[in-house]
Amino acid sequence: MATPIKEWSKLEVRAVVRFLFSKGTKPSEIHKQIAEIYGEGSMSRSRVYQWCTWFGEDRTSLGDEPKSGHPKTSTNKENTTRVDKLIRCDRRMKIREIALKLEIPKSTVHEIVHDTLGYRKVSARWVPKMLTEDHKLQRVEISQRLLQRCQQDNGDEDTTHIGVGPGGDFQANNNLFDNLITGDETWVHLNTPQTKRDSMTWKHPSSPVTKKFKVQRSAAKVMATVFWDAKGVIL
């Protein structure tokens, strides 16, 4: 009866594989004998076949071949500077693209970007309108002119409204803000379903699982336009 070996090394097991393979033993039989003596975890069946293939190709070394790829020291100051430079040139560049461009592992790039450089990816914030420089300048000028009108002594009783006159000047009465009317508009869907977060409820571990059908917002929508002044909604 065979006596199992409890303490062994990888080189020892590989030497046995080479010995048996040189005797003409089939890989399946080699794996069976190794598992019987050294245990099931000593070498898998696929690994036995791999080593038999290598020995059949006149391999003599029992040690591991030098691994290809980049050393663990790829997270260095030089690569950190290169990654930072690429991100500053293109803020939308992905981790995979940086790794391919610099020829360093993705894991290293991820570590440099998040841990070393402290970057985090965020989405752009939505704004109602994208104002040009002319639009911004026009708003500043109008606001300044309105402010000047508020600071002036409006004693003209004949002026009962606010508007833009023929010369482009604002006309106002004593109660300037009472005559200011502003408005806004937005698209409103005819059906806006409740979100999943809004429908969350408290439950006990024994409570039945709640279900919710996924409903899309309706394609049909209307334009809601509102006008108001200092006293409230007008229209």
Side-chain angles (χ1 to χ4, degrees), residues 90-108:
D90 185 3
R91 298 280 180 168
R92 296 186 177 182
M93 184 170 289
K94 298 179 174 60
I95 297 290
R96 173 178 53 82
E97 297 173 346
I98 298 175
L100 291 175
K101 195 173 187 64
L102 300 182
E103 297 182 352
I104 56 180
K106 287 175 57 179
S107 58
T108 301

Side-chain angles (χ1 to χ4, degrees), residues 26-53:
K26 295 182 178 180
S28 58
E29 182 63 25
I30 294 176
H31 176 262
K32 181 179 179 181
Q33 295 186 30
I34 288 178
E36 182 181 354
I37 301 299
Y38 293 98
E40 291 290 343
S42 57
M43 183 178 291
S44 64
R45 180 185 297 270
S46 60
R47 199 62 176 169
V48 171
Y49 275 82
Q50 182 66 64
W51 276 102
C52 290
T53 301

Side-chain angles (χ1 to χ4, degrees), residues 10-196:
K10 290 184 178 180
L11 295 181
E12 179 183 348
V13 176
R14 293 170 185 175
V16 173
V17 173
R18 184 184 181 191
F19 172 76
L20 295 176
F21 179 75
S22 300
K23 288 181 60 178
T25 308
K26 295 182 178 180
S28 58
E29 182 63 25
I30 294 176
H31 176 262
K32 181 179 179 181
Q33 295 186 30
I34 288 178
E36 182 181 354
I37 301 299
Y38 293 98
E40 291 290 343
S42 57
M43 183 178 291
S44 64
R45 180 185 297 270
S46 60
R47 199 62 176 169
V48 171
Y49 275 82
Q50 182 66 64
W51 276 102
C52 290
T53 301
W54 287 338
F55 291 139
E57 297 173 351
D58 298 329
R59 175 171 176 171
T60 59
S61 174
L62 299 178
D64 295 325
E65 294 290 339
K67 294 183 179 180
S68 60
H70 299 270
K72 294 183 179 180
T73 56
S74 55
T75 308
N76 50 38
K77 185 176 181 180
E78 180 183 356
N79 286 336
T80 301
T81 303
R82 296 166 65 196
V83 171
D84 188 35
K85 185 177 180 180
L86 281 180
I87 293 179
R88 290 179 181 274
C89 292
D90 185 3
R91 298 280 180 168
R92 296 186 177 182
M93 184 170 289
K94 298 179 174 60
I95 297 290
R96 173 178 53 82
E97 297 173 346
I98 298 175
L100 291 175
K101 195 173 187 64
L102 300 182
E103 297 182 352
I104 56 180
K106 287 175 57 179
S107 58
T108 301
V109 176
H110 187 277
E111 181 181 351
I112 292 175
V113 172
H114 292 278
D115 300 337
T116 305
L117 297 176
Y119 282 109
R120 63 186 183 93
K121 212 162 193 180
V122 296
S123 300
R125 179 178 298 177
W126 287 105
V127 294
K129 295 180 181 180
M130 184 65 70
L131 299 177
T132 64
E133 293 300 325
D134 291 338
H135 292 157
K136 296 177 182 179
L137 181 60
Q138 185 180 25
R139 290 193 174 195
V140 172
E141 292 177 349
I142 293 176
S143 299
Q144 290 177 343
R145 292 161 66 182
L146 283 173
L147 182 60
Q148 291 175 0
R149 293 295 301 178
C150 291
Q151 295 173 347
Q152 290 177 357
D153 181 13
N154 299 320
D156 189 358
E157 298 295 339
D158 296 333
T159 304
T160 58
H161 67 281
I162 182 171
V164 180
D169 295 330
F170 282 94
Q171 299 174 347
N173 63 356
N174 292 331
N175 300 320
L176 177 63
F177 287 105
D178 290 341
N179 292 277
L180 285 178
I181 299 177
T182 185
D184 198 3
E185 58 186 17
T186 184
W187 286 105
V188 179
H189 291 270
L190 298 183
N191 177 33
T192 303
Q194 188 182 42
T195 63
K196 188 175 181 180

Side-chain angles (χ1 to χ4, degrees), residues 192-221:
T192 303
Q194 188 182 42
T195 63
K196 188 175 181 180
R197 174 175 289 275
D198 293 336
S199 62
M200 295 176 66
T201 58
W202 295 103
K203 64 182 290 294
H204 290 287
S206 59
S207 302
V209 179
T210 58
K211 297 181 180 180
K212 178 179 175 64
F213 291 99
K214 188 175 182 180
V215 181
Q216 299 290 341
R217 291 190 303 178
S218 62
K221 51 188 178 180

